[in-house]
Amino acid sequence: DGGITQSPKYLFRKEGQNVTLSCEQNLNHDAMYWYRQDPGQGLRLIYYSQIVNDFQKGDIAEGYSVSREKKESFPLTVTSAQKNPTAFYLCATGDILTGETQYFGPGTRLLVL
Amino acid sequence: SQQGEEDPQALSIQEGENATMNCSYKTSINNLQWYRQNSGRGLVHLILIRSNEREKHSGRLRVTLDTSKKSSSLLITASRAADTASYFCATDAQGGSEKLVFGKGTKLTVNP
């Protein structure tokens, strides 16, 4: 998991509540990514950012929002508009200049109460 | 949009045997990567093979790439119980996309 931390490890959301998942990195990577993983499935891209104060939608951005105010941080908010948020959320980073490999955090499991 | 599709979905073998997983993709790529995920954990990068390479080795891992068939295979030799995990292929899109597209993975179980 290297220099990428995600918190909390488990998160419980009540109906209609917004929750924020934290992702912090000390790898000095420019690019950061948020993926969603459902049981037995691959990863689907939610949002990604290549530079501070800029980010792009991935394949399943609806019901999610992000910010990139610092290079080290890329928090993901799961809004009340996301009707099926139960999943495993993975944050990743990448060094665009030196390679295409992505480095993953340990993940946050979001459950709905 | 999932480009990579792994095959088989699940594989169960005995320790010491070889494990082969396959990945097929749809569009032209710059490179293809394989990642490993232990249950409930993040993914770990295993190996990257570029579109102009046909085979690559790393320890007990051997990856092949056939761009004419748009397919790749991951071979783990002399498997160990600790190799039990899910394995994913990921492709980029030719043209320099910074995004990766992951397949659904192959769940490998190595029985001691």
Side-chain angles (χ1 to χ4, degrees):
Chain A
D1 299 336
I4 303 169
T5 57
Q6 290 188 242
S7 62
K9 187 171 183 178
Y10 295 96
L11 185 57
F12 299 91
R13 193 191 92 162
K14 295 180 181 178
E15 293 286 343
Q17 186 183 39
N18 291 356
V19 292
T20 298
L21 285 62
S22 169
C23 178
E24 302 280 332
Q25 56 114 348
N26 62 5
L27 300 173
N28 199 35
H29 287 166
D30 288 306
M32 296 187 75
Y33 307 83
W34 273 108
Y35 293 93
R36 170 180 172 141
Q37 186 178 32
D38 293 283
Q41 299 295 311
L43 279 65
R44 291 186 289 169
L45 183 63
I46 304 172
Y47 269 99
Y48 65 103
S49 167
Q50 289 185 282
I51 196 168
V52 173
N53 293 322
D54 188 42
F55 48 82
Q56 286 77 41
K57 293 182 179 180
D59 299 318
I60 56 165
E62 186 174 349
Y64 301 96
S65 67
V66 293
S67 63
R68 186 85 186 276
E69 297 177 1
K70 300 186 300 181
K71 187 175 185 178
E72 301 78 18
S73 179
F74 191 39
L76 173 74
T77 297
V78 183
T79 74
S80 57
Q82 173 50 245
K83 298 306 179 187
N84 184 23
T86 297
F88 190 50
Y89 290 86
L90 287 160
C91 175
T93 71
D95 187 339
I96 299 169
L97 294 178
T98 62
E100 302 87 344
T101 299
Q102 292 187 10
Y103 301 84
F104 285 80
T108 292
R109 190 166 300 279
L110 176 60
L111 300 165
V112 177
L113 294 176
Chain B
S1 56
Q2 288 189 309
Q3 164 149 259
E5 291 290 338
E6 290 89 345
D7 167 60
Q9 290 187 346
L11 180 61
S12 181
I13 60 174
Q14 296 299 123
E15 214 166 20
E17 294 179 341
N18 295 343
T20 299
M21 289 158 268
N22 303 296
C23 170
S24 59
Y25 58 92
K26 298 175 183 174
T27 63
S28 296
I29 60 172
N30 290 315
N31 63 66
L32 184 144
Q33 303 180 50
W34 285 91
Y35 289 80
R36 165 195 168 126
Q37 183 182 34
N38 285 54
S39 182
R41 306 291 296 274
L43 277 69
V44 175
H45 179 258
L46 294 176
I47 197 165
L48 180 152
I49 186 166
R50 301 199 181 279
S51 59
N52 61 354
E53 298 176 310
R54 291 297 166 259
E55 187 171 313
K56 205 163 184 180
H57 296 255
S58 177
R60 293 184 295 113
L61 305 180
R62 173 179 168 248
V63 170
T64 62
L65 179 64
D66 186 335
T67 52
S68 66
K69 295 181 179 179
K70 292 186 170 58
S71 68
S72 173
S73 67
L74 171 67
L75 169 67
I76 304 174
T77 60
S79 63
R80 306 165 182 168
D83 294 328
T84 295
S86 291
Y87 293 82
F88 295 88
C89 68
T91 54
D92 69 344
Q94 208 169 49
S97 170
E98 63 285 346
K99 297 189 292 182
L100 294 180
V101 179
F102 288 82
K104 294 184 178 181
T106 291
K107 187 169 184 179
L108 173 66
T109 302
V110 182
N111 301 300

